[in-house]
Amino acid sequence: MARDSGYAATGGVARDHDGNWRVGFTRFLGVCSPFEAEVWGILDGILILLNKRYKRVIVLTDNLEVVQILSDLDLKDSGITVLRRTQCIMRAEGMWKIKHIPRNQNLVADRLAKL
């Protein structure tokens, strides 16, 4: 997220169980919060992987708040549409787990977003 303009982008990397790169993606979002940008990145990644027929995925993010909210299966109606959509897909499709990782282990995704 560019602090001066408020513009945000998101990006992600999908790797297989051996750590091999499968797909990378980026998206310019315009003006939004860092929280929303993180959720957009997760949603984009999920949709890409569903399209490639992946059903068992572990999502890693350095945003602890996003991990806590997406892990809460009892969370009801959120006011953020992209969050509701992501939660709905994670509940309905395949086996999705979300885990927190330290920011210094998430450098590839952060660099993709900055492209």
Side-chain angles (χ1 to χ4, degrees):
M1 181 166 192
R3 296 190 200 293
D4 57 337
S5 65
Y7 289 138
T10 190
V13 174
R15 299 179 188 269
D16 65 18
H17 62 279
D18 293 322
N20 299 313
W21 178 293
R22 290 293 171 216
V23 66
F25 61 93
T26 62
R27 179 202 287 233
F28 175 74
L29 298 171
V31 177
C32 70
S33 72
F35 178 87
E36 289 171 309
E38 193 73 27
V39 177
W40 270 112
I42 291 169
L43 178 60
D44 285 349
I46 286 172
L47 294 175
I48 289 167
L49 293 172
L50 281 172
N51 189 45
K52 294 184 175 291
R53 306 211 189 286
Y54 286 90
K55 295 291 183 182
R56 286 182 47 181
V57 175
I58 299 171
V59 176
L60 303 175
T61 176
D62 57 22
N63 188 313
L64 185 58
E65 182 183 10
V66 170
V67 171
Q68 291 169 337
I69 289 174
L70 289 178
S71 296
D72 185 357
L73 299 177
D74 294 328
L75 187 66
K76 298 299 179 211
D77 193 19
S78 167
I80 302 173
T81 304
V82 68
L83 181 59
R84 284 195 316 264
R85 184 169 181 211
T86 304
Q87 288 170 324
C88 181
I89 291 171
M90 287 181 72
R91 285 186 195 125
E93 302 286 341
M95 293 179 55
W96 303 91
K97 293 182 181 179
I98 185 160
K99 295 184 177 183
H100 180 258
I101 62 168
R103 186 170 300 250
N104 64 353
Q105 293 179 21
N106 199 26
L107 296 177
V108 173
D110 285 347
R111 296 251 160 75
L112 277 174
K114 289 178 183 171
L115 289 175

